[in-house]
Amino acid sequence: GELDFPSVAATLARWRVIDGCTEESETIYQHGDATCVRWASCQGGAEVALCTLEDGGHTWPGGLPIPPLGKTSTDLNATEAMVSFFAAHPLP
């Protein structure tokens, strides 16, 4: 059978409902081709965030370039962004 994955917008909307977030978002990072937005007005201190890259390829942002897989952004280090997010929101 075919796999049917929800869109990014649908996934964000679902997590905002699960976490009881308001519709209000804020841009928390913008540099070059990278933009990160978050919804921080959520229940229990939860936060939903999305980082996007303009014309990004299928490579790890801030990682080693792999030309056949498209552009590698140097405007965001995905590893540092993820570590910061999870450090701010540890599991109980």
Side-chain angles (χ1 to χ4, degrees):
E2 290 184 33
L3 297 176
D4 185 26
F5 295 102
S7 67
V8 171
T11 301
L12 285 172
R14 180 72 179 132
W15 277 110
R16 290 194 320 262
V17 168
I18 290 169
D19 290 331
C21 304
T22 65
E23 292 291 320
E24 184 179 332
S25 67
E26 64 178 320
T27 300
I28 57 171
Y29 182 83
Q30 192 161 30
H31 178 72
D33 61 15
T35 302
C36 298
V37 178
R38 76 173 168 192
W39 292 261
S41 298
C42 307
Q43 295 175 355
E47 179 180 314
V48 176
L50 171 68
C51 293
T52 57
L53 301 168
E54 186 176 326
D55 299 323
H58 289 274
T59 60
W60 193 254
L64 296 174
I66 305 170
L69 298 179
K71 176 183 160 190
T72 300
S73 176
T74 57
D75 293 324
L76 175 72
N77 184 310
T79 301
E80 289 177 4
M82 288 175 51
V83 168
S84 294
F85 180 88
F86 288 117
H89 303 286
L91 288 174

